[in-house]
mmCIF file with all atom_site columns, all heavy atoms in Angstrom:
data_model
loop_
_atom_site.group_PDB
_atom_site.id
_atom_site.type_symbol
_atom_site.label_atom_id
_atom_site.label_alt_id
_atom_site.label_comp_id
_atom_site.label_asym_id
_atom_site.label_entity_id
_atom_site.label_seq_id
_atom_site.pdbx_PDB_ins_code
_atom_site.Cartn_x
_atom_site.Cartn_y
_atom_site.Cartn_z
_atom_site.occupancy
_atom_site.B_iso_or_equiv
_atom_site.pdbx_formal_charge
_atom_site.auth_seq_id
_atom_site.auth_comp_id
_atom_site.auth_asym_id
_atom_site.auth_atom_id
_atom_site.pdbx_PDB_model_num
ATOM 1   N N   . PRO R 1 184 ? -48.460 21.780 44.280 1.00 97.00 ? 230 PRO R N   1
ATOM 2   C CA  . PRO R 1 184 ? -47.638 21.330 45.415 1.00 97.00 ? 230 PRO R CA  1
ATOM 3   C C   . PRO R 1 184 ? -47.088 19.937 45.116 1.00 97.00 ? 230 PRO R C   1
ATOM 4   O O   . PRO R 1 184 ? -47.836 19.055 44.692 1.00 97.00 ? 230 PRO R O   1
ATOM 5   C CB  . PRO R 1 184 ? -48.629 21.313 46.577 1.00 97.00 ? 230 PRO R CB  1
ATOM 6   C CG  . PRO R 1 184 ? -49.679 22.320 46.189 1.00 97.00 ? 230 PRO R CG  1
ATOM 7   C CD  . PRO R 1 184 ? -49.805 22.197 44.697 1.00 97.00 ? 230 PRO R CD  1
ATOM 8   N N   . TRP R 1 187 ? -48.698 16.595 46.387 1.00 97.00 ? 233 TRP R N   1
ATOM 9   C CA  . TRP R 1 187 ? -50.098 16.283 46.099 1.00 97.00 ? 233 TRP R CA  1
ATOM 10  C C   . TRP R 1 187 ? -50.195 15.436 44.838 1.00 97.00 ? 233 TRP R C   1
ATOM 11  O O   . TRP R 1 187 ? -49.566 15.738 43.826 1.00 97.00 ? 233 TRP R O   1
ATOM 12  C CB  . TRP R 1 187 ? -50.922 17.558 45.873 1.00 97.00 ? 233 TRP R CB  1
ATOM 13  C CG  . TRP R 1 187 ? -51.069 18.415 47.093 1.00 97.00 ? 233 TRP R CG  1
ATOM 14  C CD1 . TRP R 1 187 ? -50.475 18.227 48.310 1.00 97.00 ? 233 TRP R CD1 1
ATOM 15  C CD2 . TRP R 1 187 ? -51.845 19.614 47.214 1.00 97.00 ? 233 TRP R CD2 1
ATOM 16  N NE1 . TRP R 1 187 ? -50.833 19.235 49.169 1.00 97.00 ? 233 TRP R NE1 1
ATOM 17  C CE2 . TRP R 1 187 ? -51.667 20.094 48.524 1.00 97.00 ? 233 TRP R CE2 1
ATOM 18  C CE3 . TRP R 1 187 ? -52.664 20.321 46.325 1.00 97.00 ? 233 TRP R CE3 1
ATOM 19  C CZ2 . TRP R 1 187 ? -52.290 21.260 48.988 1.00 97.00 ? 233 TRP R CZ2 1
ATOM 20  C CZ3 . TRP R 1 187 ? -53.282 21.483 46.787 1.00 97.00 ? 233 TRP R CZ3 1
ATOM 21  C CH2 . TRP R 1 187 ? -53.100 21.938 48.111 1.00 97.00 ? 233 TRP R CH2 1
ATOM 22  N N   . PHE R 1 266 ? -58.599 29.849 43.410 1.00 98.00 ? 312 PHE R N   1
ATOM 23  C CA  . PHE R 1 266 ? -57.911 28.551 43.450 1.00 98.00 ? 312 PHE R CA  1
ATOM 24  C C   . PHE R 1 266 ? -56.437 28.702 43.056 1.00 98.00 ? 312 PHE R C   1
ATOM 25  O O   . PHE R 1 266 ? -55.562 28.033 43.602 1.00 98.00 ? 312 PHE R O   1
ATOM 26  C CB  . PHE R 1 266 ? -58.619 27.584 42.493 1.00 98.00 ? 312 PHE R CB  1
ATOM 27  C CG  . PHE R 1 266 ? -58.335 26.133 42.739 1.00 98.00 ? 312 PHE R CG  1
ATOM 28  C CD1 . PHE R 1 266 ? -59.081 25.406 43.649 1.00 98.00 ? 312 PHE R CD1 1
ATOM 29  C CD2 . PHE R 1 266 ? -57.328 25.480 42.045 1.00 98.00 ? 312 PHE R CD2 1
ATOM 30  C CE1 . PHE R 1 266 ? -58.834 24.055 43.863 1.00 98.00 ? 312 PHE R CE1 1
ATOM 31  C CE2 . PHE R 1 266 ? -57.069 24.133 42.251 1.00 98.00 ? 312 PHE R CE2 1
ATOM 32  C CZ  . PHE R 1 266 ? -57.821 23.415 43.157 1.00 98.00 ? 312 PHE R CZ  1
ATOM 33  N N   . ALA R 1 269 ? -54.685 29.764 46.052 1.00 98.00 ? 315 ALA R N   1
ATOM 34  C CA  . ALA R 1 269 ? -54.645 28.673 47.032 1.00 98.00 ? 315 ALA R CA  1
ATOM 35  C C   . ALA R 1 269 ? -53.561 27.658 46.650 1.00 98.00 ? 315 ALA R C   1
ATOM 36  O O   . ALA R 1 269 ? -52.819 27.167 47.498 1.00 98.00 ? 315 ALA R O   1
ATOM 37  C CB  . ALA R 1 269 ? -56.012 27.999 47.114 1.00 98.00 ? 315 ALA R CB  1
ATOM 38  N N   . LEU R 1 270 ? -53.453 27.354 45.350 1.00 97.00 ? 316 LEU R N   1
ATOM 39  C CA  . LEU R 1 270 ? -52.444 26.404 44.886 1.00 97.00 ? 316 LEU R CA  1
ATOM 40  C C   . LEU R 1 270 ? -51.040 26.946 45.121 1.00 97.00 ? 316 LEU R C   1
ATOM 41  O O   . LEU R 1 270 ? -50.149 26.238 45.588 1.00 97.00 ? 316 LEU R O   1
ATOM 42  C CB  . LEU R 1 270 ? -52.599 26.143 43.391 1.00 97.00 ? 316 LEU R CB  1
ATOM 43  C CG  . LEU R 1 270 ? -53.541 25.037 42.927 1.00 97.00 ? 316 LEU R CG  1
ATOM 44  C CD1 . LEU R 1 270 ? -53.394 24.858 41.432 1.00 97.00 ? 316 LEU R CD1 1
ATOM 45  C CD2 . LEU R 1 270 ? -53.266 23.720 43.651 1.00 97.00 ? 316 LEU R CD2 1
ATOM 46  N N   . HIS R 1 272 ? -49.982 28.784 47.319 1.00 96.00 ? 318 HIS R N   1
ATOM 47  C CA  . HIS R 1 272 ? -49.596 28.726 48.728 1.00 96.00 ? 318 HIS R CA  1
ATOM 48  C C   . HIS R 1 272 ? -49.785 27.333 49.317 1.00 96.00 ? 318 HIS R C   1
ATOM 49  O O   . HIS R 1 272 ? -49.676 27.159 50.520 1.00 96.00 ? 318 HIS R O   1
ATOM 50  C CB  . HIS R 1 272 ? -50.398 29.749 49.527 1.00 96.00 ? 318 HIS R CB  1
ATOM 51  C CG  . HIS R 1 272 ? -50.123 31.167 49.124 1.00 96.00 ? 318 HIS R CG  1
ATOM 52  N ND1 . HIS R 1 272 ? -50.960 31.897 48.315 1.00 96.00 ? 318 HIS R ND1 1
ATOM 53  C CD2 . HIS R 1 272 ? -49.054 31.954 49.384 1.00 96.00 ? 318 HIS R CD2 1
ATOM 54  C CE1 . HIS R 1 272 ? -50.433 33.094 48.107 1.00 96.00 ? 318 HIS R CE1 1
ATOM 55  N NE2 . HIS R 1 272 ? -49.273 33.154 48.730 1.00 96.00 ? 318 HIS R NE2 1
ATOM 56  N N   . ALA R 1 273 ? -50.080 26.351 48.471 1.00 96.00 ? 319 ALA R N   1
ATOM 57  C CA  . ALA R 1 273 ? -50.375 24.991 48.942 1.00 96.00 ? 319 ALA R CA  1
ATOM 58  C C   . ALA R 1 273 ? -51.346 25.040 50.121 1.00 96.00 ? 319 ALA R C   1
ATOM 59  O O   . ALA R 1 273 ? -51.182 24.338 51.115 1.00 96.00 ? 319 ALA R O   1
ATOM 60  C CB  . ALA R 1 273 ? -49.087 24.250 49.313 1.00 96.00 ? 319 ALA R CB  1
ATOM 61  N N   . ASP R 1 274 ? -52.367 25.892 49.991 1.00 98.00 ? 320 ASP R N   1
ATOM 62  C CA  . ASP R 1 274 ? -53.321 26.119 51.067 1.00 98.00 ? 320 ASP R CA  1
ATOM 63  C C   . ASP R 1 274 ? -54.429 25.059 50.984 1.00 98.00 ? 320 ASP R C   1
ATOM 64  O O   . ASP R 1 274 ? -55.451 25.241 50.316 1.00 98.00 ? 320 ASP R O   1
ATOM 65  C CB  . ASP R 1 274 ? -53.890 27.543 50.902 1.00 98.00 ? 320 ASP R CB  1
ATOM 66  C CG  . ASP R 1 274 ? -54.822 27.928 52.026 1.00 98.00 ? 320 ASP R CG  1
ATOM 67  O OD1 . ASP R 1 274 ? -55.333 27.035 52.738 1.00 98.00 ? 320 ASP R OD1 1
ATOM 68  O OD2 . ASP R 1 274 ? -55.048 29.141 52.192 1.00 98.00 ? 320 ASP R OD2 1
ATOM 69  N N   . ALA R 1 275 ? -54.213 23.953 51.703 1.00 98.00 ? 321 ALA R N   1
ATOM 70  C CA  . ALA R 1 275 ? -55.113 22.801 51.593 1.00 98.00 ? 321 ALA R CA  1
ATOM 71  C C   . ALA R 1 275 ? -56.535 23.155 52.025 1.00 98.00 ? 321 ALA R C   1
ATOM 72  O O   . ALA R 1 275 ? -57.505 22.715 51.403 1.00 98.00 ? 321 ALA R O   1
ATOM 73  C CB  . ALA R 1 275 ? -54.575 21.634 52.411 1.00 98.00 ? 321 ALA R CB  1
ATOM 74  N N   . ALA R 1 276 ? -56.666 23.958 53.064 1.00 98.00 ? 322 ALA R N   1
ATOM 75  C CA  . ALA R 1 276 ? -58.002 24.279 53.575 1.00 98.00 ? 322 ALA R CA  1
ATOM 76  C C   . ALA R 1 276 ? -58.796 25.058 52.524 1.00 98.00 ? 322 ALA R C   1
ATOM 77  O O   . ALA R 1 276 ? -59.988 24.813 52.310 1.00 98.00 ? 322 ALA R O   1
ATOM 78  C CB  . ALA R 1 276 ? -57.896 25.083 54.870 1.00 98.00 ? 322 ALA R CB  1
ATOM 79  N N   . ARG R 1 277 ? -58.115 25.989 51.843 1.00 98.00 ? 323 ARG R N   1
ATOM 80  C CA  . ARG R 1 277 ? -58.812 26.800 50.842 1.00 98.00 ? 323 ARG R CA  1
ATOM 81  C C   . ARG R 1 277 ? -59.127 25.977 49.592 1.00 98.00 ? 323 ARG R C   1
ATOM 82  O O   . ARG R 1 277 ? -60.180 26.127 48.984 1.00 98.00 ? 323 ARG R O   1
ATOM 83  C CB  . ARG R 1 277 ? -57.956 28.020 50.480 1.00 98.00 ? 323 ARG R CB  1
ATOM 84  C CG  . ARG R 1 277 ? -58.732 29.178 49.941 1.00 98.00 ? 323 ARG R CG  1
ATOM 85  C CD  . ARG R 1 277 ? -58.267 30.530 50.469 1.00 98.00 ? 323 ARG R CD  1
ATOM 86  N NE  . ARG R 1 277 ? -56.871 30.782 50.175 1.00 98.00 ? 323 ARG R NE  1
ATOM 87  C CZ  . ARG R 1 277 ? -56.439 31.683 49.270 1.00 98.00 ? 323 ARG R CZ  1
ATOM 88  N NH1 . ARG R 1 277 ? -57.307 32.393 48.590 1.00 98.00 ? 323 ARG R NH1 1
ATOM 89  N NH2 . ARG R 1 277 ? -55.155 31.874 49.074 1.00 98.00 ? 323 ARG R NH2 1
ATOM 90  N N   . VAL R 1 278 ? -58.207 25.084 49.240 1.00 98.00 ? 324 VAL R N   1
ATOM 91  C CA  . VAL R 1 278 ? -58.442 24.202 48.093 1.00 98.00 ? 324 VAL R CA  1
ATOM 92  C C   . VAL R 1 278 ? -59.673 23.328 48.365 1.00 98.00 ? 324 VAL R C   1
ATOM 93  O O   . VAL R 1 278 ? -60.541 23.156 47.512 1.00 98.00 ? 324 VAL R O   1
ATOM 94  C CB  . VAL R 1 278 ? -57.187 23.341 47.801 1.00 98.00 ? 324 VAL R CB  1
ATOM 95  C CG1 . VAL R 1 278 ? -57.523 22.124 46.974 1.00 98.00 ? 324 VAL R CG1 1
ATOM 96  C CG2 . VAL R 1 278 ? -56.128 24.200 47.100 1.00 98.00 ? 324 VAL R CG2 1
ATOM 97  N N   . ARG R 1 279 ? -59.755 22.812 49.569 1.00 98.00 ? 325 ARG R N   1
ATOM 98  C CA  . ARG R 1 279 ? -60.897 21.969 49.938 1.00 98.00 ? 325 ARG R CA  1
ATOM 99  C C   . ARG R 1 279 ? -62.199 22.767 49.843 1.00 98.00 ? 325 ARG R C   1
ATOM 100 O O   . ARG R 1 279 ? -63.161 22.336 49.228 1.00 98.00 ? 325 ARG R O   1
ATOM 101 C CB  . ARG R 1 279 ? -60.729 21.450 51.376 1.00 98.00 ? 325 ARG R CB  1
ATOM 102 C CG  . ARG R 1 279 ? -61.924 20.652 51.891 1.00 98.00 ? 325 ARG R CG  1
ATOM 103 C CD  . ARG R 1 279 ? -61.902 20.423 53.417 1.00 98.00 ? 325 ARG R CD  1
ATOM 104 N NE  . ARG R 1 279 ? -60.563 20.441 53.966 1.00 98.00 ? 325 ARG R NE  1
ATOM 105 C CZ  . ARG R 1 279 ? -59.785 19.370 54.128 1.00 98.00 ? 325 ARG R CZ  1
ATOM 106 N NH1 . ARG R 1 279 ? -60.230 18.200 53.816 1.00 98.00 ? 325 ARG R NH1 1
ATOM 107 N NH2 . ARG R 1 279 ? -58.583 19.493 54.633 1.00 98.00 ? 325 ARG R NH2 1
ATOM 108 N N   . ARG R 1 280 ? -62.186 23.954 50.426 1.00 98.00 ? 326 ARG R N   1
ATOM 109 C CA  . ARG R 1 280 ? -63.400 24.779 50.426 1.00 98.00 ? 326 ARG R CA  1
ATOM 110 C C   . ARG R 1 280 ? -63.835 25.096 48.995 1.00 98.00 ? 326 ARG R C   1
ATOM 111 O O   . ARG R 1 280 ? -65.012 24.996 48.647 1.00 98.00 ? 326 ARG R O   1
ATOM 112 C CB  . ARG R 1 280 ? -63.149 26.066 51.220 1.00 98.00 ? 326 ARG R CB  1
ATOM 113 C CG  . ARG R 1 280 ? -64.338 27.006 51.264 1.00 98.00 ? 326 ARG R CG  1
ATOM 114 C CD  . ARG R 1 280 ? -64.135 28.173 52.217 1.00 98.00 ? 326 ARG R CD  1
ATOM 115 N NE  . ARG R 1 280 ? -63.022 29.049 51.868 1.00 98.00 ? 326 ARG R NE  1
ATOM 116 C CZ  . ARG R 1 280 ? -62.983 29.858 50.814 1.00 98.00 ? 326 ARG R CZ  1
ATOM 117 N NH1 . ARG R 1 280 ? -63.995 29.874 49.957 1.00 98.00 ? 326 ARG R NH1 1
ATOM 118 N NH2 . ARG R 1 280 ? -61.928 30.634 50.584 1.00 98.00 ? 326 ARG R NH2 1
ATOM 119 N N   . LEU R 1 281 ? -62.886 25.436 48.142 1.00 98.00 ? 327 LEU R N   1
ATOM 120 C CA  . LEU R 1 281 ? -63.232 25.839 46.778 1.00 98.00 ? 327 LEU R CA  1
ATOM 121 C C   . LEU R 1 281 ? -63.729 24.655 45.954 1.00 98.00 ? 327 LEU R C   1
ATOM 122 O O   . LEU R 1 281 ? -64.685 24.779 45.185 1.00 98.00 ? 327 LEU R O   1
ATOM 123 C CB  . LEU R 1 281 ? -62.028 26.491 46.104 1.00 98.00 ? 327 LEU R CB  1
ATOM 124 C CG  . LEU R 1 281 ? -61.664 27.871 46.669 1.00 98.00 ? 327 LEU R CG  1
ATOM 125 C CD1 . LEU R 1 281 ? -60.275 28.296 46.197 1.00 98.00 ? 327 LEU R CD1 1
ATOM 126 C CD2 . LEU R 1 281 ? -62.707 28.913 46.269 1.00 98.00 ? 327 LEU R CD2 1
ATOM 127 N N   . MET R 1 282 ? -63.087 23.489 46.115 1.00 98.00 ? 328 MET R N   1
ATOM 128 C CA  . MET R 1 282 ? -63.528 22.322 45.345 1.00 98.00 ? 328 MET R CA  1
ATOM 129 C C   . MET R 1 282 ? -64.924 21.889 45.788 1.00 98.00 ? 328 MET R C   1
ATOM 130 O O   . MET R 1 282 ? -65.781 21.560 44.961 1.00 98.00 ? 328 MET R O   1
ATOM 131 C CB  . MET R 1 282 ? -62.532 21.166 45.477 1.00 98.00 ? 328 MET R CB  1
ATOM 132 C CG  . MET R 1 282 ? -61.217 21.438 44.747 1.00 98.00 ? 328 MET R CG  1
ATOM 133 S SD  . MET R 1 282 ? -60.038 20.076 44.883 1.00 98.00 ? 328 MET R SD  1
ATOM 134 C CE  . MET R 1 282 ? -60.502 19.096 43.445 1.00 98.00 ? 328 MET R CE  1
ATOM 135 N N   . MET R 1 308 ? -63.786 12.469 50.147 1.00 98.00 ? 354 MET R N   1
ATOM 136 C CA  . MET R 1 308 ? -63.549 13.283 51.337 1.00 98.00 ? 354 MET R CA  1
ATOM 137 C C   . MET R 1 308 ? -63.449 12.392 52.576 1.00 98.00 ? 354 MET R C   1
ATOM 138 O O   . MET R 1 308 ? -62.579 12.592 53.425 1.00 98.00 ? 354 MET R O   1
ATOM 139 C CB  . MET R 1 308 ? -64.656 14.334 51.511 1.00 98.00 ? 354 MET R CB  1
ATOM 140 C CG  . MET R 1 308 ? -64.730 15.363 50.388 1.00 98.00 ? 354 MET R CG  1
ATOM 141 S SD  . MET R 1 308 ? -63.140 16.062 49.877 1.00 98.00 ? 354 MET R SD  1
ATOM 142 C CE  . MET R 1 308 ? -62.647 16.944 51.360 1.00 98.00 ? 354 MET R CE  1
ATOM 143 N N   . ALA R 1 312 ? -59.253 12.950 51.183 1.00 98.00 ? 358 ALA R N   1
ATOM 144 C CA  . ALA R 1 312 ? -58.793 13.844 50.120 1.00 98.00 ? 358 ALA R CA  1
ATOM 145 C C   . ALA R 1 312 ? -58.649 15.272 50.642 1.00 98.00 ? 358 ALA R C   1
ATOM 146 O O   . ALA R 1 312 ? -59.341 15.682 51.565 1.00 98.00 ? 358 ALA R O   1
ATOM 147 C CB  . ALA R 1 312 ? -59.792 13.822 48.960 1.00 98.00 ? 358 ALA R CB  1
ATOM 148 N N   . ILE R 1 313 ? -57.730 16.016 50.017 1.00 98.00 ? 359 ILE R N   1
ATOM 149 C CA  . ILE R 1 313 ? -57.603 17.444 50.314 1.00 98.00 ? 359 ILE R CA  1
ATOM 150 C C   . ILE R 1 313 ? -58.855 18.156 49.816 1.00 98.00 ? 359 ILE R C   1
ATOM 151 O O   . ILE R 1 313 ? -59.393 19.049 50.465 1.00 98.00 ? 359 ILE R O   1
ATOM 152 C CB  . ILE R 1 313 ? -56.346 18.013 49.611 1.00 98.00 ? 359 ILE R CB  1
ATOM 153 C CG1 . ILE R 1 313 ? -55.097 17.367 50.201 1.00 98.00 ? 359 ILE R CG1 1
ATOM 154 C CG2 . ILE R 1 313 ? -56.287 19.529 49.712 1.00 98.00 ? 359 ILE R CG2 1
ATOM 155 C CD1 . ILE R 1 313 ? -53.880 17.459 49.320 1.00 98.00 ? 359 ILE R CD1 1
ATOM 156 N N   . GLY R 1 314 ? -59.313 17.746 48.633 1.00 98.00 ? 360 GLY R N   1
ATOM 157 C CA  . GLY R 1 314 ? -60.537 18.297 48.063 1.00 98.00 ? 360 GLY R CA  1
ATOM 158 C C   . GLY R 1 314 ? -61.026 17.375 46.960 1.00 98.00 ? 360 GLY R C   1
ATOM 159 O O   . GLY R 1 314 ? -60.244 16.565 46.438 1.00 98.00 ? 360 GLY R O   1
ATOM 160 N N   . GLU R 1 331 ? -52.923 13.806 49.362 1.00 97.00 ? 377 GLU R N   1
ATOM 161 C CA  . GLU R 1 331 ? -51.520 13.782 49.821 1.00 97.00 ? 377 GLU R CA  1
ATOM 162 C C   . GLU R 1 331 ? -50.889 12.514 49.273 1.00 97.00 ? 377 GLU R C   1
ATOM 163 O O   . GLU R 1 331 ? -51.410 11.422 49.483 1.00 97.00 ? 377 GLU R O   1
ATOM 164 C CB  . GLU R 1 331 ? -51.465 13.714 51.355 1.00 97.00 ? 377 GLU R CB  1
ATOM 165 C CG  . GLU R 1 331 ? -51.985 14.926 52.071 1.00 97.00 ? 377 GLU R CG  1
ATOM 166 C CD  . GLU R 1 331 ? -50.932 16.026 52.200 1.00 97.00 ? 377 GLU R CD  1
ATOM 167 O OE1 . GLU R 1 331 ? -49.771 15.783 51.798 1.00 97.00 ? 377 GLU R OE1 1
ATOM 168 O OE2 . GLU R 1 331 ? -51.303 17.108 52.675 1.00 97.00 ? 377 GLU R OE2 1
#
Side-chain angles (χ1 to χ4, degrees):
W233 293 5
F312 199 87
L316 272 187
H318 296 101
D320 184 341
R323 204 139 58 109
V324 160
R325 175 194 334 268
R326 179 172 62 69
L327 290 166
M328 290 180 89
M354 296 314 295
I359 295 160
E377 294 276 355

